[in-house]
Amino acid sequence: MADHIEIVEVALRDGLQNDSSLLSTDRKLEALDRLLEAGCRRLEVASFVNPRRVPQMADSADVMARAPKRDDASYIGLALNARGFNAALNVGCDEINFVVVASDTFGIRNQNATPADSLAVLAEVMPAARTAATPVSVTITAAFGCPFEGEVPLDRVTWIAEESAGLGADEIALGDTIGVADPWDVTRRIEAVRKVAGAARLRIHLHNTRNTALANAYAAVEAGVRVLDASCGGIGGCPFAPRATGNVATEDLVYMLHRAGLETGLDLDRLIETARWLEDALGHDVPSMLSKAGSFPAASG
């Protein structure tokens, strides 16, 4: 539906991976229950990466094993390489989000692979995903800028998108990993990627490092994107990108969309409650504005 926006909740993966607090598996599952109660139905809950490099994700297999099985919820596992991809398949992730970094330098630092290397891996693992009937998304990280190389050429992004679509990706996401995008560039890159994405859905993944995430989300929606990543509380960041801070906050994004008359299926009050719960669980404030201000106040009298 044109007036429905799907939110992919990423707090349990991207949100926690850069946080100094190490939540126990039990606490993660409690957070998952709260997000499900708030109406979240696509959730990135696990990351199959080297636990020595990202200790916050070391229990991903346990989280997947203990996550409540629901026909109306889809649990996504992130993978950077063939080992992670196969691990996500083996533990029964409902979807796999495969990462291709848009720049060589960041790709080597993040996952020891250039974009061409990652696309070669994607070609290798896609047959197994098709056999398992597991949908695969490709997130092009640093699609709007690299912390080491600076500007990322548009044709680099469209090349990755076209190759990913050709390999059978069900969904292609543009990731503003370090929060440098502006609304005009969001529009320009979405329009360019749409021309080469074939049947793949488009998604956008925004960080609020420079306070432009909501403006960029608005631009994405206006450009026709109907799937947006967000993180409850606005927590998150990338361990391998200097000064990369949290994702756009789910409750802040939902507030903006609901005020515009768009539907998400999410309960804003429950999201705010969960963001405040996260503050206690993590032992520090979360960046979101709605966790502090609350929703639109009811009329008095």
Side-chain angles (χ1 to χ4, degrees):
M1 295 181 294
D3 62 349
H4 180 81
I5 305 297
E6 182 178 55
I7 304 296
V8 178
E9 176 56 58
V10 301
L12 289 171
R13 197 282 301 175
D14 201 0
L16 294 179
Q17 72 172 5
N18 202 42
D19 202 286
S20 58
S21 301
L22 293 177
L23 288 194
S24 68
T25 305
D26 286 344
R27 292 287 255 180
K28 289 181 181 180
L29 291 167
E30 183 177 355
L32 175 58
D33 285 340
R34 289 173 176 271
L35 292 166
L36 290 167
E37 289 172 4
C40 299
R41 292 298 178 262
R42 285 184 76 193
L43 306 99
E44 203 170 73
V45 302
S47 180
F48 297 91
V49 295
N50 188 330
R52 293 189 297 276
R53 300 190 74 192
V54 190
Q56 296 90 336
M57 296 292 105
D59 62 345
S60 286
D62 290 338
V63 169
M64 275 301 306
R66 295 174 56 190
K69 303 300 183 285
R70 297 176 54 135
D71 292 337
D72 64 346
S74 183
Y75 301 139
I76 305 169
L78 180 133
L80 306 180
N81 51 36
R83 177 179 294 180
F85 195 99
N86 291 326
L89 279 178
N90 290 338
V91 302
C93 289
D94 298 308
E95 304 177 45
I96 299 175
N97 184 20
F98 186 77
V99 172
V100 179
V101 181
S103 72
D104 289 352
T105 305
F106 191 19
I108 294 295
R109 292 187 181 224
N110 188 63
Q111 57 211 64
N112 196 32
T114 66
D117 294 334
S118 293
L119 288 168
V121 171
L122 183 63
E124 173 190 334
V125 298
M126 281 298 289
R130 290 289 168 257
T131 298
T134 301
V136 175
S137 297
V138 172
T139 294
I140 306 173
T141 62
F144 297 90
C146 170
F148 308 106
E149 296 181 13
E151 301 290 347
V152 171
L154 178 57
D155 59 3
R156 170 66 69 95
V157 176
T158 54
W159 165 65
I160 296 171
E162 186 171 19
E163 292 293 315
S164 299
L167 291 170
D170 299 284
E171 186 177 69
I172 295 171
L174 300 184
D176 186 17
T177 311
I178 59 173
V180 293
D182 63 73
W184 298 271
D185 196 28
V186 167
T187 300
R188 182 165 54 251
R189 291 182 185 244
I190 287 170
E191 290 175 348
V193 167
R194 181 176 285 117
K195 293 176 181 178
V196 301
R201 294 186 305 273
L202 297 188
R203 193 177 92 241
I204 196 156
H205 178 97
L206 299 167
H207 285 247
N208 198 39
T209 312
R210 291 165 179 84
N211 202 33
T212 57
L214 282 177
N216 292 334
Y218 169 79
V221 171
E222 287 293 288
V225 173
R226 290 295 178 265
V227 189
L228 288 85
D229 290 0
S231 174
C232 188
I235 60 174
C238 177
F240 309 110
R243 297 180 297 281
T245 55
N247 301 262
V248 63
T250 310
E251 57 274 19
D252 295 358
L253 178 60
V254 167
Y255 174 82
M256 181 182 78
L257 295 172
H258 286 186
R259 290 286 290 169
L262 297 165
E263 298 295 331
T264 65
L266 302 184
D267 185 320
L268 182 56
D269 289 334
R270 285 185 179 272
L271 288 171
I272 293 170
E273 290 172 6
T274 302
R276 292 170 176 166
W277 176 89
L278 277 169
E279 290 190 324
D280 179 67
L282 295 171
H284 60 73
D285 291 346
V286 296
S288 71
M289 302 305 293
L290 267 288
S291 64
K292 303 169 182 64
S295 188
F296 194 89
S300 60

